[in-house]
Amino acid sequence: MGEKDISQAVIARLPRYFRYLGELKDEGVERISSQELSTLMQVTASQIRQDFNNFGGFGQQGYGYNVEYLYQEIGKILGLDKEHQLIVVGAGNLGTALCNYANFKRRGFYFAGVFDQNPDLIGKKVGNLFVKPMEEMEDFVKNNTIDIAVLCIPKTSAVNVADKLVKCGVKAFWNFAHCDLNVPKGIVVENVHLSDSLIKLSYNLNENR
Ligand code: NAI
């Protein structure tokens, strides 16, 4: 089975496996059974085995999984064995917060540029970058092999900006604007809506009443 056939629900669980395995690795744990991982992550052991079987099962032999191997393999599946160069469009509250979050670098995501249309923000330091004007965005993307763009701009301009970036070779969008992007085949979009997460919390709170 190719990775393309794997359900999005399984893919969505992989970052969590990766995070837990990273913590186990840092604690010096060498092997872990699906039962122990299940208790730690509060997912059933059968769910873990089913998820891992999508990728050949990661060779559980004797006692449990080899933590380092599993961590590396899941990292490869997630594309974390490569470095990614990102730009951020929109240096407001959200763009600034993302640029300031240093941990993305640990996972191989490098913020290479940040752009805004507001002249008052040009040249301002955000994270370790200086905000550049939008007029420089396209050349910057072409010259710096940027593969991911983070959109932290209002929905009124996100579609237009995304179109320009696709033409310059951007292959993926981390889209915080509250709109759907109409991108060509082969371009991937991850929409992030923090309010969806909050609403889910509200649902679960209601269920528990
Ligand atoms: P903000 O107003 O602090 O920053 C927006 C920045 O985008 C401003 O600096 C503005 O000059 C710039 N901008 C606007 N149009 C532009 C364009 N065409 N090209 C380049 N820069 C442009 O807003 P904030 O809080 O940073 O939020 C950014 C966007 O993300 C908003 O539209 C907001 O609705 C959305 N948002 C989405 C969230 C989510 O969970 N998906 C959470 C928070 C905000």
Side-chain angles (χ1 to χ4, degrees), residues 164-194:
K164 284 186 187 165
L165 290 168
V166 168
K167 287 191 186 112
C168 303
V170 167
K171 295 276 179 282
F173 290 90
W174 200 21
N175 178 33
F176 287 84
H178 294 297
C179 65
D180 291 324
L181 302 176
N182 189 15
V183 292
K185 207 165 172 259
I187 308 294
V188 289
V189 179
E190 180 68 25
N191 294 310
V192 185
H193 297 297
L194 296 179

Side-chain angles (χ1 to χ4, degrees), residues 1-204:
M1 184 188 271
E3 273 172 42
K4 289 269 178 290
D5 304 319
I6 291 160
S7 81
Q8 285 298 314
V10 177
I11 308 285
R13 285 193 287 273
L14 290 182
R16 189 157 178 262
Y17 288 124
F18 184 76
R19 184 158 45 82
Y20 271 87
L21 288 161
E23 284 168 14
L24 288 167
K25 192 172 77 78
D26 291 347
E27 286 162 17
V29 177
E30 289 178 7
R31 297 196 82 83
I32 189 158
S33 68
S34 47
Q35 191 53 57
E36 287 166 323
L37 198 53
S38 146
T39 309
L40 189 67
M41 294 183 64
Q42 305 201 349
V43 194
T44 64
S46 110
Q47 169 89 82
I48 292 174
R49 283 192 295 269
Q50 270 177 40
D51 285 350
F52 290 179
N53 279 342
N54 284 293
F55 307 98
F58 301 117
Q60 188 180 190
Q61 284 158 359
Y63 172 71
Y65 300 99
N66 178 316
V67 170
E68 171 73 39
Y69 174 75
L70 196 51
Y71 175 80
Q72 296 299 341
E73 289 303 300
I74 293 179
K76 276 189 220 163
I77 291 164
L78 291 169
L80 299 177
D81 54 333
K82 302 176 197 89
E83 285 185 359
H84 298 281
Q85 299 291 330
L86 290 75
I87 60 158
V88 174
V89 187
N93 294 310
L94 191 56
T96 300
L98 292 173
C99 287
N100 278 324
Y101 184 60
N103 251 13
F104 293 130
K105 215 185 279 178
R106 275 189 61 211
R107 299 279 175 248
F109 297 102
Y110 291 91
F111 289 111
V114 54
F115 297 84
D116 203 288
Q117 69 171 15
N118 180 350
D120 294 342
L121 295 180
I122 309 307
K124 190 186 147 203
K125 198 161 188 207
V126 168
N128 59 354
L129 298 167
F130 293 97
V131 180
K132 294 180 193 296
M134 288 303 282
E135 295 71 35
E136 292 180 18
M137 181 184 74
E138 282 151 287
D139 279 345
F140 184 90
V141 167
K142 287 180 201 156
N143 297 333
N144 290 279
T145 38
I146 301 298
D147 47 5
I148 303 176
V150 187
L151 301 183
C152 302
I153 49 178
K155 63 179 177 185
T156 43
S157 47
V159 172
N160 189 267
V161 168
D163 284 348
K164 284 186 187 165
L165 290 168
V166 168
K167 287 191 186 112
C168 303
V170 167
K171 295 276 179 282
F173 290 90
W174 200 21
N175 178 33
F176 287 84
H178 294 297
C179 65
D180 291 324
L181 302 176
N182 189 15
V183 292
K185 207 165 172 259
I187 308 294
V188 289
V189 179
E190 180 68 25
N191 294 310
V192 185
H193 297 297
L194 296 179
S195 50
D196 288 2
S197 172
L198 192 56
I199 291 166
K200 199 169 133 212
L201 182 70
S202 156
Y203 170 83
N204 288 326

